[in-house]
Amino acid sequence: MKMTRWTKRAALLMAAVMAMSGLQGCGGSSDGSAGNDGGQAEAGGDRSDAGQAEAGAAGDGAGAGQTDAGDSGKDKAKDKKGAGELNIYTWAEYVPQDIIDRFEEETGIRVNYTNFEANEEMLAKLETSGGGEYDIVIASDYIIKIAADEGLVMEIDKEKVPNYTNIDPIFQDFFYDPENTLTVPYGPGIPLLVYDPSVVTCDITGYESLWDPSLQDSVALMDSERVVMGMALKTMGQSFNTEDLDVIRAAGDKLMELAPNVRVLSQNQTQDFLLSGEVGAAFLFTSQVVLALNQDPDLKVVYPEEGLGFGVDAAFIPSQAPNSDNAHAFLNFILDGEVGAEVSQQTYYLCPNKASYEYLPEEFQKSLVISADDIPNGEFIQDVGAEATSLHEEIWTEFKAALD
């Protein structure tokens, strides 16, 4: 059976239960480390692993000790320092635990961390709460644009965020925040193809290569509807953002032809299947590419000849955030030059903070594979309207069913 995100989780859960059974009797604990993306999610992907970004060497520590803001409610009593709380909503591990710890220590603000699996899940929750419940959301560009159009995003009070001036202008003026009033860029990146030359026999030059019969049951993709559909569209010479329903249907037909080659569809840790040898080729978020190459430098990276995607995960304050002052304090905190450098070195995305550059080792810059120079060559994924969105969702559901 092909391995979707849910299948993978079931397997991991069984393994964890077996491992822990020998520890619990003597007070042992399980690390649970899994290794952004997401995710990161580039090109409008559901990152965020980052896109959603993995915390890299930090592993699952970002999830440890974090409480569910959804269960905590809005009216918890202030902590002993009287600074209150901050409810963060993003992908698992996307904000490194040491960054959260430092913010709590410096401000006295208690952080509640809740994670979502996909951008669309986040938007549905935000719509249900009317822009309330959470104080900071980190999500992908295209979904932020939809949320902003629905009045669910608060304008940032820049007097409360003096470090806002640290943002590198290269990462501003984009479609989802053209006036630079709503967001702070967090994880910019470009998804790329990666393969193991010792097992792959075909010549991989772009997305089209993944359809090669020699790759049957040997491809891993991120579980990201618009990114993967965009890949099929690019093989047809089309834009990620076409609203031509006939073109989208044709891309869906082509995507179904890829199903026999897809062994893994996973949002998190997709690179692990490549490293373990379970697959020979993968389409990965920036953070996953870096993590894969760090562990196996012999892997090959391909800039797809059909064209690059580009996306930015950004932080914003929901329109009815219960602790908006604390949200502003958090934005100012992550925009500190030193803190911003620490975040980027753990999420493995381009650093959007010009005050951080002096703190970033040259080795880190090289390890990213991509650079800001690639941005003009990438295409954002954007909202395509109700009819096209509905068709994308229908095709994606059929595609995932074909993998079972």
Side-chain angles (χ1 to χ4, degrees), residues 119-371:
N119 282 300
E120 287 73 18
E121 175 189 346
M122 178 282 296
L123 180 62
K125 190 67 176 287
L126 207 60
E127 290 171 336
T128 299
S129 67
E133 189 166 350
Y134 302 109
D135 303 305
I136 289 288
V137 175
I138 304 175
S140 297
D141 38 44
Y142 77 100
I143 212 79
I144 295 174
K145 177 65 164 62
I146 297 173
D149 289 346
E150 294 180 7
L152 299 173
V153 180
M154 178 185 297
E155 184 170 329
I156 295 172
D157 184 345
K158 294 178 184 176
E159 291 187 359
K160 297 179 180 178
V161 188
N163 286 335
Y164 193 89
T165 57
N166 288 345
I167 298 173
D168 190 327
I170 293 173
F171 299 101
Q172 291 184 306
D173 304 325
F174 293 135
F175 75 97
Y176 61 92
D177 188 10
E179 302 299 324
N180 303 315
T181 57
L182 303 175
T183 64
V184 167
Y186 186 83
I190 294 172
L192 298 171
L193 297 168
V194 185
Y195 71 99
D196 184 346
S198 69
V199 299
V200 172
T201 58
C202 65
D203 186 20
I204 296 184
T205 59
Y207 307 119
E208 184 72 43
S209 304
L210 298 183
W211 273 258
D212 192 284
S214 68
L215 291 175
Q216 182 174 353
D217 202 31
S218 190
V219 172
L221 302 175
M222 70 274 284
D223 187 356
S224 179
E225 173 188 321
R226 289 292 306 280
V227 177
V228 175
M229 271 294 289
M231 180 180 69
L233 285 164
K234 283 295 186 185
T235 66
M236 300 164 54
Q238 299 290 330
S239 166
F240 290 137
N241 305 306
T242 180
E243 297 195 23
D244 186 321
L245 300 184
D246 290 335
V247 171
I248 295 173
R249 289 190 188 95
D253 291 341
K254 180 155 190 177
L255 189 62
M256 293 301 291
E257 295 172 2
L258 180 64
N261 285 9
V262 179
R263 181 175 180 83
V264 173
L265 191 68
S266 175
Q267 185 71 358
N268 303 319
Q269 308 294 64
T270 314
Q271 78 283 351
D272 286 352
F273 299 98
L274 183 64
L275 292 165
S276 69
E278 185 169 346
V279 301
F283 187 35
L284 303 175
F285 292 119
T286 297
S287 61
Q288 297 172 333
V289 173
V290 176
L291 290 168
L293 291 176
N294 283 348
Q295 295 186 57
D296 186 354
D298 292 330
L299 295 172
K300 299 298 182 183
V301 177
V302 176
Y303 280 62
E305 61 186 2
E306 298 93 342
L308 298 175
F310 171 67
V312 179
D313 293 334
F316 67 89
I317 305 173
S319 57
Q320 301 299 318
N323 304 286
S324 63
D325 283 346
N326 290 348
H328 282 86
F330 182 78
L331 293 181
N332 195 59
F333 176 76
I334 62 173
L335 284 173
D336 172 81
E338 185 177 357
V339 172
E342 291 174 3
V343 169
S344 293
Q345 289 180 86
Q346 293 187 61
T347 57
Y348 297 109
Y349 281 97
L350 292 171
C351 181
N353 187 338
K354 64 179 186 291
S356 298
Y357 297 161
E358 63 178 297
Y359 300 103
L360 293 173
E362 183 178 352
E363 294 75 17
F364 168 75
Q365 304 277 31
K366 291 180 179 178
S367 73
L368 289 182
V369 183
I370 62 172
S371 74

